[in-house]
Every structure is written in C-alpha cells, then in structure tokens.
Amino acid sequence: MKKLIVASTSTVHGSGYLEYILSALSIHFEKATTILFIPYARPGGISYDDYTEIARKAFKKIGRDVKGIHEFKNPKQAILNATGIFTGGGNTFELVNQLYKNDVLETLKEVLDKGTPYLGTSAGSNICGETMMNTNDMPIVYPPSFKTLGLIPFNINAHYLDPNPNSKHMGETRETRIKEYHVFNATSVLGLREGSWLEVKGKEITLKGSLTARFFQKDKHPIELDTNKEIII
Amino acid sequence: MKKLIVASTSTVHGSGYLEYILSALSIHFEKATTILFIPYARPGGISYDDYTEIARKAFKKIGRDVKGIHEFKNPKQAILNATGIFTGGGNTFELVNQLYKNDVLETLKEVLDKGTPYLGTSAGSNICGETMMNTNDMPIVYPPSFKTLGLIPFNINAHYLDPNPNSKHMGETRETRIKEYHVFNATSVLGLREGSWLEVKGKEITLKGSLTARFFQKDKHPIELDTNKEIII
C-alpha cells in the first residue's frame, strides 16, 4: 500500500528545514532507521554531499540517519533496499533529468507503489504527479521526458501562490498558467500552498496542514479543498 | 543587418496592448505595411484568430495591417515574404513547440539575420536568445528542443522581477533560478523588466525604456545595465 507525504515546501517562513513537519515524519518513517535521500534537484546548484548534509541534520532531530543515493554504487539497488525515501526540492527539470539518466524512475515507482514510505518536498512532490508540467522551475536542462511517477491521479503545483490583486506585474499568475496547461492537457492540478501536504495511504489522499488547497480541473472553475479531509476526485 | 525589438512585455500596467512602445514600432516597421504575426504562444489558450485580432487592433493605430501566420498555407513562405514580423507572448514551451512542428525556426532565423524587422514581446523575446531556458512559463507541452533563434549572444528573462525583501514565500526568486541555470549553462542572461526593450541593429544592442536591466553572467555577480546605452558584453 502506498505511503507518501507530498509536501509543498521543505521549509515554511521563519522555521528550520523540515521543522514544521517533523512530528508527522516521525510517524511516517517509524519503521525506517535510515532514509535514502535523493538530492538530484540540488537547489541553487548545491553539491549532492552538501544537500544530503542538510537533510541529515533535519532527520537527526527525530533519530533517523540519512544516506544520499549518490553514495551508492548502484542507485537502483539502493532504492530497492531502502526502508524510507526522501526527495528534496530544487530544480524539477534537473531532478527528472537525473532520474532518467540514472534509470531509476521505474524502480522508484515500483517500490513506492509497493509501500516504501516516501517524502517529497517541492520538486520531490512534483514528480509524484503524472507529469512535471506544473512545476514553477526554469527549464535549465532538457530532460528526456516530462513524464513522472504517476503515484497520484493529478499533478502538483508546489508553493502555490494566490493572485495578488494589488500587483502591477503583467506576468501570468499561477492560476493563468494552470489554465493554459489545461488547454493542452486533461490531468487535474492541485495547487498546494506552503505548509500544506498530502498524506497518501493507498488510494486515500488527505490534505494536511492548516490551509485549504486549490484544485484545478479542465473546463471547470477551480475549487478550494478543505484540510484534514480526504480528497475525492 | 539585424533589426530587432526585443521587449520584456506587450503591455505595461495601466496601458493598452503595445501602447507604451507604439512610437518606436512606427519607426521600426516604417517600410512594412503588413506585419506577419506569429500567435503560436497563445496566452491563456486564446485562438490564433483572436490573438491576431488583438495585434491587428494595436498596429492599426500606427497604420499597419497584421496577418496571422496561420492564415497562410505555407508558413515558411509567409516568413520569407514578410516585410515585418511580430511574435507575441504567451507560453514559450508551446511557441517553441509550434516553431519546430511547423518547421519555421531556421527560416525565421535566416530572414531576421538578413534584416527583416522583428518585434518580440515576452515569449517572442525569449526565442531571440540562444535557448528558451530562462522562460518563466510552465512546461505545459514538451518541445523537441529548448534551442531557439540565437539572434543575440545571451538569453532573455522577460518580466524580470526583483526579489521582494518582505516576501514570506519560500519559492525561489528569479535571481536564484538564474543562478541555478548557470550551474548547468554558460550563456549569460538579461533580466528585462517590464517596460524595457532591446533595440538590436546588427551587432549593436541598446537597452531602451526608463529602467536598468539586470545582467547575469556565470560565476560573476549580476550587474545593472544603464538604459539608452549600448550593451557591450
């Protein structure tokens, strides 16, 4: 049975890395002593080692060790052996690029479908959807495909931002961009605000955190989903 | 000799479509009675016809007619015959996708290199750079490549936004995203603020409008470029 936490962000304003969600992670990863960390998204171009160290420090607070996937000779085997997996945020294009280059996307999907507990934040959450087409990131590398894990039946827009009615900026709002997406694609999109996450247990998907989330379906008005409720689509 | 206007946006806050730049366009397109419009970026999924109508209305104010490239049987021939070309904004992924699908990217580059006057706004400006890797748009379609026209020796980040020091949002700033880009790529990036444009005459590139522009080079601190000055890189 799938067991995922799909979080909008690793960090909420004024708080440390993963701090807001540590108590949920402690339960989520209760049977994992070591978490396999996938640092491929490398925010700001940080090295895999440095990024893994950030994750290690956070998980140490709940008594879990962290090992980076790049520390293993065989990344596929590392995924197969893992008792818990965390993919951090950064650039989704580079993350997806590396998942393909290292040929681990299918293996990752397999173990997550079977029940290895998973945490994704930001880019690591985008890849839980059917495609990475609702990322906010810049296309700084050209991945072989936009297809991702398809663990949940919709795409994720992480760090979802509401339109600012006072803005004088003419660039598209997040909502406009998602509407453009639906001209070309049918898959629904969940706009997850910072501090929100999804708890996925098998087919049951529950919104967590204190905020509502905005759900976009093709040819329909977007709706706000209540928190602490199962998402029925 | 190349003759391009590369504008950050079609519209500045509180003003009509292209209004802020019409007097410059009147001179730029002085020898063109009809402008060939490339509506492929279709903002908000607007139809090619409707988008062309918006461009037509704006150019009517300076006595120019507009014809959409989709109105021609042979888009390549339409580009070869055009005496002025305008590519409007919208989604850069879909714009680039259609330029490849219609097999007109090379032809467009050829005529613009030879001197057909060109206007690009937003997505239409992104494609003037070497790649579309500094677009802000969502990857709503998968184009065959991120390579674009390479008419200028750097990439464009349109609608450039300065970091907001009061923001509590944890998503990456535009500057952070461009820095991430430079971990993987060498080409410089010009952050063009709304209301700014480049006037390109052969190899001479001059920043226009009232604002400075932010120039990002790999492994260097970004610098502000003065307006009404040639950009020497």
Side-chain angles (χ1 to χ4, degrees), chain A residues 42-46 91 138 140, chain B residues 133-134 157 160 163 172-189 214-223:
Chain A
R42 44 189 313 211
I46 188 173
N91 185 282
M138 261 187 197
I140 61 176
Chain B
M133 288 185 171
N134 301 99
N157 180 249
Y160 182 74
E172 291 89 346
T173 64
R174 206 64 72 77
E175 184 157 330
T176 305
R177 294 181 193 285
I178 295 171
K179 278 186 187 162
E180 282 183 3
Y181 160 84
H182 272 141
V183 174
F184 300 94
N185 302 278
T187 303
S188 300
V189 183
R214 198 157 178 87
F215 193 60
F216 299 85
Q217 292 161 285
K218 189 179 170 83
D219 299 329
K220 291 189 184 172
H221 281 288
I223 53 172

mmCIF file of all heavy atoms in Angstrom, chain A residues 42-46 91 138 140, chain B residues 133-134 157 160 163 172-189 214-223:
data_model
loop_
_atom_site.group_PDB
_atom_site.id
_atom_site.type_symbol
_atom_site.label_atom_id
_atom_site.label_comp_id
_atom_site.label_asym_id
_atom_site.label_seq_id
_atom_site.Cartn_x
_atom_site.Cartn_y
_atom_site.Cartn_z
ATOM 1 N N ARG A 42 19.100 19.454 -6.385
ATOM 2 C CA ARG A 42 20.156 20.371 -5.924
ATOM 3 C C ARG A 42 19.838 21.868 -6.038
ATOM 4 O O ARG A 42 20.354 22.549 -6.936
ATOM 5 C CB ARG A 42 21.492 20.051 -6.609
ATOM 6 C CG ARG A 42 21.437 19.795 -8.070
ATOM 7 C CD ARG A 42 22.745 19.267 -8.652
ATOM 8 N NE ARG A 42 23.941 19.966 -8.259
ATOM 9 C CZ ARG A 42 25.017 20.097 -9.025
ATOM 10 N NH1 ARG A 42 25.059 19.570 -10.227
ATOM 11 N NH2 ARG A 42 26.059 20.736 -8.610
ATOM 12 N N PRO A 43 19.051 22.406 -5.101
ATOM 13 C CA PRO A 43 18.655 23.829 -5.159
ATOM 14 C C PRO A 43 19.869 24.741 -5.156
ATOM 15 O O PRO A 43 20.804 24.533 -4.386
ATOM 16 C CB PRO A 43 17.828 24.013 -3.887
ATOM 17 C CG PRO A 43 18.244 22.903 -2.978
ATOM 18 C CD PRO A 43 18.595 21.760 -3.872
ATOM 19 N N GLY A 44 19.847 25.730 -6.034
ATOM 20 C CA GLY A 44 20.962 26.669 -6.117
ATOM 21 C C GLY A 44 22.244 26.003 -6.565
ATOM 22 O O GLY A 44 23.330 26.560 -6.420
ATOM 23 N N GLY A 45 22.149 24.793 -7.125
ATOM 24 C CA GLY A 45 23.332 24.102 -7.625
ATOM 25 C C GLY A 45 24.221 23.541 -6.523
ATOM 26 O O GLY A 45 25.362 23.171 -6.757
ATOM 27 N N ILE A 46 23.692 23.454 -5.330
ATOM 28 C CA ILE A 46 24.405 22.877 -4.185
ATOM 29 C C ILE A 46 24.900 21.462 -4.528
ATOM 30 O O ILE A 46 24.274 20.776 -5.337
ATOM 31 C CB ILE A 46 23.436 22.859 -2.961
ATOM 32 C CG1 ILE A 46 24.123 22.466 -1.665
ATOM 33 C CG2 ILE A 46 22.252 21.966 -3.216
ATOM 34 C CD1 ILE A 46 23.201 22.605 -0.434
ATOM 35 N N ASN A 91 15.502 22.141 -8.512
ATOM 36 C CA ASN A 91 15.018 22.311 -9.882
ATOM 37 C C ASN A 91 14.420 21.002 -10.403
ATOM 38 O O ASN A 91 15.099 19.982 -10.495
ATOM 39 C CB ASN A 91 16.162 22.785 -10.780
ATOM 40 C CG ASN A 91 15.656 23.095 -12.173
ATOM 41 O OD1 ASN A 91 15.427 22.182 -12.964
ATOM 42 N ND2 ASN A 91 15.435 24.372 -12.456
ATOM 43 N N MET A 138 12.580 26.876 -13.715
ATOM 44 C CA MET A 138 13.109 27.232 -15.027
ATOM 45 C C MET A 138 13.638 25.981 -15.727
ATOM 46 O O MET A 138 14.257 25.132 -15.086
ATOM 47 C CB MET A 138 14.270 28.211 -14.859
ATOM 48 C CG MET A 138 13.873 29.637 -15.082
ATOM 49 S SD MET A 138 15.302 30.723 -15.061
ATOM 50 C CE MET A 138 14.439 32.276 -14.833
ATOM 51 N N ILE A 140 16.206 24.674 -17.025
ATOM 52 C CA ILE A 140 17.658 24.898 -17.122
ATOM 53 C C ILE A 140 18.399 23.711 -17.733
ATOM 54 O O ILE A 140 19.560 23.823 -18.093
ATOM 55 C CB ILE A 140 18.253 25.258 -15.746
ATOM 56 C CG1 ILE A 140 18.040 24.127 -14.732
ATOM 57 C CG2 ILE A 140 17.622 26.538 -15.214
ATOM 58 C CD1 ILE A 140 18.698 24.376 -13.386
ATOM 59 N N MET B 133 15.767 28.609 -22.094
ATOM 60 C CA MET B 133 15.949 28.084 -20.740
ATOM 61 C C MET B 133 15.698 29.082 -19.625
ATOM 62 O O MET B 133 15.740 28.725 -18.450
ATOM 63 C CB MET B 133 17.357 27.508 -20.600
ATOM 64 C CG MET B 133 17.526 26.210 -21.355
ATOM 65 S SD MET B 133 19.156 25.502 -21.038
ATOM 66 C CE MET B 133 18.968 23.886 -21.796
ATOM 67 N N ASN B 134 15.463 30.353 -19.982
ATOM 68 C CA ASN B 134 15.187 31.342 -18.927
ATOM 69 C C ASN B 134 13.776 31.888 -18.982
ATOM 70 O O ASN B 134 13.494 32.976 -18.473
ATOM 71 C CB ASN B 134 16.242 32.440 -18.957
ATOM 72 C CG ASN B 134 17.618 31.866 -18.745
ATOM 73 O OD1 ASN B 134 18.346 31.657 -19.702
ATOM 74 N ND2 ASN B 134 17.961 31.530 -17.527
ATOM 75 N N ASN B 157 15.434 36.813 -19.798
ATOM 76 C CA ASN B 157 14.399 36.545 -18.813
ATOM 77 C C ASN B 157 13.438 37.727 -18.854
ATOM 78 O O ASN B 157 13.764 38.826 -18.408
ATOM 79 C CB ASN B 157 14.963 36.342 -17.407
ATOM 80 C CG ASN B 157 13.851 36.067 -16.399
ATOM 81 O OD1 ASN B 157 13.565 36.888 -15.541
ATOM 82 N ND2 ASN B 157 13.185 34.934 -16.513
ATOM 83 N N TYR B 160 11.251 40.488 -15.867
ATOM 84 C CA TYR B 160 12.174 40.286 -14.743
ATOM 85 C C TYR B 160 11.629 40.961 -13.479
ATOM 86 O O TYR B 160 11.164 42.095 -13.503
ATOM 87 C CB TYR B 160 13.580 40.808 -15.047
ATOM 88 C CG TYR B 160 14.506 40.525 -13.890
ATOM 89 C CD1 TYR B 160 14.960 39.234 -13.656
ATOM 90 C CD2 TYR B 160 14.844 41.518 -12.969
ATOM 91 C CE1 TYR B 160 15.749 38.931 -12.565
ATOM 92 C CE2 TYR B 160 15.635 41.227 -11.862
ATOM 93 C CZ TYR B 160 16.086 39.925 -11.671
ATOM 94 O OH TYR B 160 16.848 39.632 -10.569
ATOM 95 N N PRO B 163 13.860 40.468 -6.308
ATOM 96 C CA PRO B 163 13.409 39.779 -5.090
ATOM 97 C C PRO B 163 12.667 40.763 -4.187
ATOM 98 O O PRO B 163 13.043 41.925 -4.093
ATOM 99 C CB PRO B 163 14.712 39.320 -4.431
ATOM 100 C CG PRO B 163 15.755 39.360 -5.498
ATOM 101 C CD PRO B 163 15.330 40.436 -6.452
ATOM 102 N N GLU B 172 11.668 29.871 -5.014
ATOM 103 C CA GLU B 172 12.889 30.540 -5.457
ATOM 104 C C GLU B 172 12.596 31.903 -6.086
ATOM 105 O O GLU B 172 11.613 32.069 -6.791
ATOM 106 C CB GLU B 172 13.634 29.683 -6.499
ATOM 107 C CG GLU B 172 14.250 28.420 -5.959
ATOM 108 C CD GLU B 172 13.302 27.236 -5.998
ATOM 109 O OE1 GLU B 172 12.086 27.438 -6.203
ATOM 110 O OE2 GLU B 172 13.788 26.109 -5.827
ATOM 111 N N THR B 173 13.464 32.878 -5.842
ATOM 112 C CA THR B 173 13.369 34.154 -6.547
ATOM 113 C C THR B 173 13.886 33.948 -7.970
ATOM 114 O O THR B 173 14.554 32.965 -8.275
ATOM 115 C CB THR B 173 14.237 35.237 -5.889
ATOM 116 O OG1 THR B 173 15.613 34.851 -5.996
ATOM 117 C CG2 THR B 173 13.884 35.423 -4.420
ATOM 118 N N ARG B 174 13.585 34.950 -8.817
ATOM 119 C CA ARG B 174 14.052 34.901 -10.196
ATOM 120 C C ARG B 174 15.583 34.823 -10.233
ATOM 121 O O ARG B 174 16.159 34.075 -11.015
ATOM 122 C CB ARG B 174 13.552 36.159 -10.915
ATOM 123 C CG ARG B 174 13.388 36.037 -12.395
ATOM 124 C CD ARG B 174 12.340 35.040 -12.795
ATOM 125 N NE ARG B 174 10.984 35.431 -12.546
ATOM 126 C CZ ARG B 174 10.290 36.303 -13.286
ATOM 127 N NH1 ARG B 174 10.842 36.881 -14.314
ATOM 128 N NH2 ARG B 174 9.035 36.576 -13.002
ATOM 129 N N GLU B 175 16.234 35.588 -9.356
ATOM 130 C CA GLU B 175 17.696 35.606 -9.323
ATOM 131 C C GLU B 175 18.257 34.220 -8.947
ATOM 132 O O GLU B 175 19.222 33.754 -9.562
ATOM 133 C CB GLU B 175 18.188 36.688 -8.347
ATOM 134 C CG GLU B 175 19.686 36.829 -8.342
ATOM 135 C CD GLU B 175 20.175 38.206 -7.848
ATOM 136 O OE1 GLU B 175 19.472 39.216 -8.029
ATOM 137 O OE2 GLU B 175 21.282 38.257 -7.294
ATOM 138 N N THR B 176 17.643 33.577 -7.973
ATOM 139 C CA THR B 176 18.082 32.225 -7.587
ATOM 140 C C THR B 176 17.929 31.256 -8.750
ATOM 141 O O THR B 176 18.804 30.426 -9.018
ATOM 142 C CB THR B 176 17.246 31.719 -6.386
ATOM 143 O OG1 THR B 176 17.352 32.670 -5.345
ATOM 144 C CG2 THR B 176 17.733 30.373 -5.900
ATOM 145 N N ARG B 177 16.811 31.370 -9.455
ATOM 146 C CA ARG B 177 16.569 30.466 -10.589
ATOM 147 C C ARG B 177 17.634 30.655 -11.670
ATOM 148 O O ARG B 177 18.104 29.689 -12.278
ATOM 149 C CB ARG B 177 15.186 30.725 -11.186
ATOM 150 C CG ARG B 177 14.044 30.365 -10.246
ATOM 151 C CD ARG B 177 12.684 30.613 -10.894
ATOM 152 N NE ARG B 177 11.610 30.567 -9.909
ATOM 153 C CZ ARG B 177 11.135 29.450 -9.374
ATOM 154 N NH1 ARG B 177 11.621 28.295 -9.726
ATOM 155 N NH2 ARG B 177 10.164 29.496 -8.487
ATOM 156 N N ILE B 178 18.005 31.906 -11.918
ATOM 157 C CA ILE B 178 19.014 32.173 -12.950
ATOM 158 C C ILE B 178 20.386 31.675 -12.481
ATOM 159 O O ILE B 178 21.165 31.145 -13.274
ATOM 160 C CB ILE B 178 19.020 33.674 -13.328
ATOM 161 C CG1 ILE B 178 17.669 34.037 -13.974
ATOM 162 C CG2 ILE B 178 20.170 33.993 -14.287
ATOM 163 C CD1 ILE B 178 17.444 35.525 -14.196
ATOM 164 N N LYS B 179 20.650 31.802 -11.194
ATOM 165 C CA LYS B 179 21.910 31.246 -10.668
ATOM 166 C C LYS B 179 21.946 29.724 -10.838
ATOM 167 O O LYS B 179 22.986 29.156 -11.161
ATOM 168 C CB LYS B 179 22.064 31.621 -9.194
ATOM 169 C CG LYS B 179 22.607 33.021 -9.002
ATOM 170 C CD LYS B 179 22.880 33.323 -7.527
ATOM 171 C CE LYS B 179 23.256 34.792 -7.349
ATOM 172 N NZ LYS B 179 23.115 35.220 -5.941
ATOM 173 N N GLU B 180 20.824 29.066 -10.590
ATOM 174 C CA GLU B 180 20.750 27.610 -10.805
ATOM 175 C C GLU B 180 21.034 27.280 -12.269
ATOM 176 O O GLU B 180 21.753 26.324 -12.576
ATOM 177 C CB GLU B 180 19.356 27.077 -10.448
ATOM 178 C CG GLU B 180 19.129 26.912 -8.965
ATOM 179 C CD GLU B 180 17.755 26.322 -8.644
ATOM 180 O OE1 GLU B 180 16.996 25.984 -9.570
ATOM 181 O OE2 GLU B 180 17.441 26.223 -7.443
ATOM 182 N N TYR B 181 20.467 28.088 -13.147
ATOM 183 C CA TYR B 181 20.700 27.905 -14.584
ATOM 184 C C TYR B 181 22.194 27.934 -14.895
ATOM 185 O O TYR B 181 22.699 27.124 -15.687
ATOM 186 C CB TYR B 181 19.952 29.011 -15.347
ATOM 187 C CG TYR B 181 20.462 29.260 -16.743
ATOM 188 C CD1 TYR B 181 20.021 28.481 -17.815
ATOM 189 C CD2 TYR B 181 21.392 30.263 -16.996
ATOM 190 C CE1 TYR B 181 20.501 28.712 -19.091
ATOM 191 C CE2 TYR B 181 21.869 30.502 -18.268
ATOM 192 C CZ TYR B 181 21.418 29.724 -19.311
ATOM 193 O OH TYR B 181 21.905 29.950 -20.580
ATOM 194 N N HIS B 182 22.923 28.844 -14.242
ATOM 195 C CA HIS B 182 24.356 28.996 -14.535
ATOM 196 C C HIS B 182 25.222 27.895 -13.934
ATOM 197 O O HIS B 182 26.411 27.796 -14.248
ATOM 198 C CB HIS B 182 24.844 30.385 -14.096
ATOM 199 C CG HIS B 182 24.658 31.408 -15.166
ATOM 200 N ND1 HIS B 182 24.264 32.695 -14.937
ATOM 201 C CD2 HIS B 182 24.819 31.314 -16.512
ATOM 202 C CE1 HIS B 182 24.177 33.342 -16.086
ATOM 203 N NE2 HIS B 182 24.504 32.533 -17.049
ATOM 204 N N VAL B 183 24.645 27.053 -13.106
ATOM 205 C CA VAL B 183 25.387 25.867 -12.665
ATOM 206 C C VAL B 183 25.533 24.898 -13.841
ATOM 207 O O VAL B 183 26.523 24.180 -13.973
ATOM 208 C CB VAL B 183 24.665 25.187 -11.485
ATOM 209 C CG1 VAL B 183 25.335 23.867 -11.112
ATOM 210 C CG2 VAL B 183 24.606 26.125 -10.287
ATOM 211 N N PHE B 184 24.538 24.913 -14.732
ATOM 212 C CA PHE B 184 24.493 23.935 -15.824
ATOM 213 C C PHE B 184 24.791 24.537 -17.194
ATOM 214 O O PHE B 184 24.947 23.808 -18.165
ATOM 215 C CB PHE B 184 23.112 23.266 -15.864
ATOM 216 C CG PHE B 184 22.773 22.535 -14.602
ATOM 217 C CD1 PHE B 184 22.045 23.145 -13.583
ATOM 218 C CD2 PHE B 184 23.217 21.239 -14.409
ATOM 219 C CE1 PHE B 184 21.747 22.468 -12.411
ATOM 220 C CE2 PHE B 184 22.920 20.554 -13.247
ATOM 221 C CZ PHE B 184 22.192 21.171 -12.241
ATOM 222 N N ASN B 185 24.786 25.862 -17.292
ATOM 223 C CA ASN B 185 24.901 26.510 -18.597
ATOM 224 C C ASN B 185 25.805 27.738 -18.521
ATOM 225 O O ASN B 185 25.870 28.399 -17.483
ATOM 226 C CB ASN B 185 23.516 26.983 -19.077
ATOM 227 C CG ASN B 185 22.519 25.850 -19.167
ATOM 228 O OD1 ASN B 185 22.503 25.115 -20.141
ATOM 229 N ND2 ASN B 185 21.693 25.688 -18.143
ATOM 230 N N ALA B 186 26.431 28.076 -19.648
ATOM 231 C CA ALA B 186 27.379 29.193 -19.668
ATOM 232 C C ALA B 186 26.785 30.484 -20.226
ATOM 233 O O ALA B 186 27.260 31.580 -19.909
ATOM 234 C CB ALA B 186 28.602 28.804 -20.485
ATOM 235 N N THR B 187 25.766 30.386 -21.060
ATOM 236 C CA THR B 187 25.217 31.567 -21.720
ATOM 237 C C THR B 187 24.684 32.585 -20.692
ATOM 238 O O THR B 187 23.979 32.211 -19.760
ATOM 239 C CB THR B 187 24.076 31.154 -22.685
ATOM 240 O OG1 THR B 187 24.612 30.206 -23.624
ATOM 241 C CG2 THR B 187 23.499 32.340 -23.430
ATOM 242 N N SER B 188 25.024 33.846 -20.895
ATOM 243 C CA SER B 188 24.562 34.895 -19.990
ATOM 244 C C SER B 188 23.062 35.136 -20.150
ATOM 245 O O SER B 188 22.453 34.706 -21.133
ATOM 246 C CB SER B 188 25.314 36.195 -20.283
ATOM 247 O OG SER B 188 26.696 35.988 -20.093
ATOM 248 N N VAL B 189 22.478 35.811 -19.165
ATOM 249 C CA VAL B 189 21.030 36.050 -19.145
ATOM 250 C C VAL B 189 20.767 37.520 -18.829
ATOM 251 O O VAL B 189 21.330 38.065 -17.879
ATOM 252 C CB VAL B 189 20.338 35.199 -18.057
ATOM 253 C CG1 VAL B 189 18.829 35.407 -18.087
ATOM 254 C CG2 VAL B 189 20.682 33.730 -18.216
ATOM 255 N N ARG B 214 19.018 43.826 -15.541
ATOM 256 C CA ARG B 214 19.971 43.065 -14.710
ATOM 257 C C ARG B 214 20.618 41.964 -15.551
ATOM 258 O O ARG B 214 19.937 41.152 -16.164
ATOM 259 C CB ARG B 214 19.236 42.479 -13.503
ATOM 260 C CG ARG B 214 20.175 42.073 -12.381
ATOM 261 C CD ARG B 214 19.451 42.040 -11.047
ATOM 262 N NE ARG B 214 20.297 41.623 -9.957
ATOM 263 C CZ ARG B 214 21.073 42.454 -9.248
ATOM 264 N NH1 ARG B 214 21.106 43.730 -9.542
ATOM 265 N NH2 ARG B 214 21.812 41.993 -8.263
ATOM 266 N N PHE B 215 21.950 41.972 -15.553
ATOM 267 C CA PHE B 215 22.697 41.076 -16.429
ATOM 268 C C PHE B 215 23.432 40.032 -15.594
ATOM 269 O O PHE B 215 24.198 40.375 -14.695
ATOM 270 C CB PHE B 215 23.680 41.898 -17.266
ATOM 271 C CG PHE B 215 24.279 41.138 -18.404
ATOM 272 C CD1 PHE B 215 23.476 40.594 -19.401
ATOM 273 C CD2 PHE B 215 25.654 40.966 -18.498
ATOM 274 C CE1 PHE B 215 24.020 39.885 -20.458
ATOM 275 C CE2 PHE B 215 26.213 40.259 -19.556
ATOM 276 C CZ PHE B 215 25.393 39.725 -20.537
ATOM 277 N N PHE B 216 23.164 38.778 -15.916
ATOM 278 C CA PHE B 216 23.718 37.656 -15.141
ATOM 279 C C PHE B 216 24.727 36.891 -15.988
ATOM 280 O O PHE B 216 24.389 36.389 -17.054
ATOM 281 C CB PHE B 216 22.597 36.686 -14.739
ATOM 282 C CG PHE B 216 21.540 37.303 -13.878
ATOM 283 C CD1 PHE B 216 20.480 37.993 -14.446
ATOM 284 C CD2 PHE B 216 21.593 37.210 -12.494
ATOM 285 C CE1 PHE B 216 19.483 38.560 -13.657
ATOM 286 C CE2 PHE B 216 20.616 37.777 -11.699
ATOM 287 C CZ PHE B 216 19.559 38.455 -12.280
ATOM 288 N N GLN B 217 25.964 36.823 -15.487
ATOM 289 C CA GLN B 217 26.996 36.029 -16.156
ATOM 290 C C GLN B 217 27.427 34.906 -15.221
ATOM 291 O O GLN B 217 27.449 35.080 -13.993
ATOM 292 C CB GLN B 217 28.207 36.908 -16.490
ATOM 293 C CG GLN B 217 27.893 37.952 -17.556
ATOM 294 C CD GLN B 217 28.912 39.076 -17.550
ATOM 295 O OE1 GLN B 217 28.878 39.934 -16.653
ATOM 296 N NE2 GLN B 217 29.794 39.078 -18.516
ATOM 297 N N LYS B 218 27.780 33.793 -15.792
ATOM 298 C CA LYS B 218 28.211 32.634 -14.991
ATOM 299 C C LYS B 218 29.385 33.022 -14.104
ATOM 300 O O LYS B 218 30.332 33.669 -14.563
ATOM 301 C CB LYS B 218 28.620 31.511 -15.944
ATOM 302 C CG LYS B 218 28.884 30.168 -15.274
ATOM 303 C CD LYS B 218 29.261 29.129 -16.317
ATOM 304 C CE LYS B 218 29.776 27.848 -15.682
ATOM 305 N NZ LYS B 218 28.713 26.950 -15.260
ATOM 306 N N ASP B 219 29.299 32.645 -12.853
ATOM 307 C CA ASP B 219 30.393 32.851 -11.878
ATOM 308 C C ASP B 219 30.755 34.313 -11.631
ATOM 309 O O ASP B 219 31.872 34.612 -11.214
ATOM 310 C CB ASP B 219 31.663 32.082 -12.308
ATOM 311 C CG ASP B 219 31.415 30.581 -12.382
ATOM 312 O OD1 ASP B 219 30.567 30.092 -11.602
ATOM 313 O OD2 ASP B 219 32.048 29.907 -13.207
ATOM 314 N N LYS B 220 29.836 35.232 -11.935
ATOM 315 C CA LYS B 220 30.081 36.638 -11.633
ATOM 316 C C LYS B 220 28.878 37.208 -10.894
ATOM 317 O O LYS B 220 27.769 36.671 -10.991
ATOM 318 C CB LYS B 220 30.296 37.436 -12.928
ATOM 319 C CG LYS B 220 31.587 37.103 -13.638
ATOM 320 C CD LYS B 220 31.834 38.065 -14.773
ATOM 321 C CE LYS B 220 33.096 37.661 -15.532
ATOM 322 N NZ LYS B 220 33.286 38.446 -16.746
ATOM 323 N N HIS B 221 29.093 38.310 -10.182
ATOM 324 C CA HIS B 221 27.961 38.993 -9.571
ATOM 325 C C HIS B 221 27.126 39.654 -10.662
ATOM 326 O O HIS B 221 27.693 40.228 -11.599
ATOM 327 C CB HIS B 221 28.455 40.057 -8.587
ATOM 328 C CG HIS B 221 28.879 39.482 -7.281
ATOM 329 N ND1 HIS B 221 27.981 38.979 -6.359
ATOM 330 C CD2 HIS B 221 30.107 39.293 -6.744
ATOM 331 C CE1 HIS B 221 28.641 38.519 -5.308
ATOM 332 N NE2 HIS B 221 29.925 38.683 -5.515
ATOM 333 N N PRO B 222 25.804 39.579 -10.558
ATOM 334 C CA PRO B 222 24.982 40.256 -11.564
ATOM 335 C C PRO B 222 25.233 41.763 -11.541
ATOM 336 O O PRO B 222 25.574 42.332 -10.502
ATOM 337 C CB PRO B 222 23.545 39.923 -11.145
ATOM 338 C CG PRO B 222 23.616 39.355 -9.777
ATOM 339 C CD PRO B 222 25.006 38.883 -9.544
ATOM 340 N N ILE B 223 25.073 42.392 -12.696
ATOM 341 C CA ILE B 223 25.270 43.844 -12.771
ATOM 342 C C ILE B 223 24.036 44.508 -13.381
ATOM 343 O O ILE B 223 23.261 43.871 -14.095
ATOM 344 C CB ILE B 223 26.518 44.223 -13.610
ATOM 345 C CG1 ILE B 223 26.470 43.553 -14.994
ATOM 346 C CG2 ILE B 223 27.809 43.823 -12.897
ATOM 347 C CD1 ILE B 223 27.554 44.012 -15.952
#
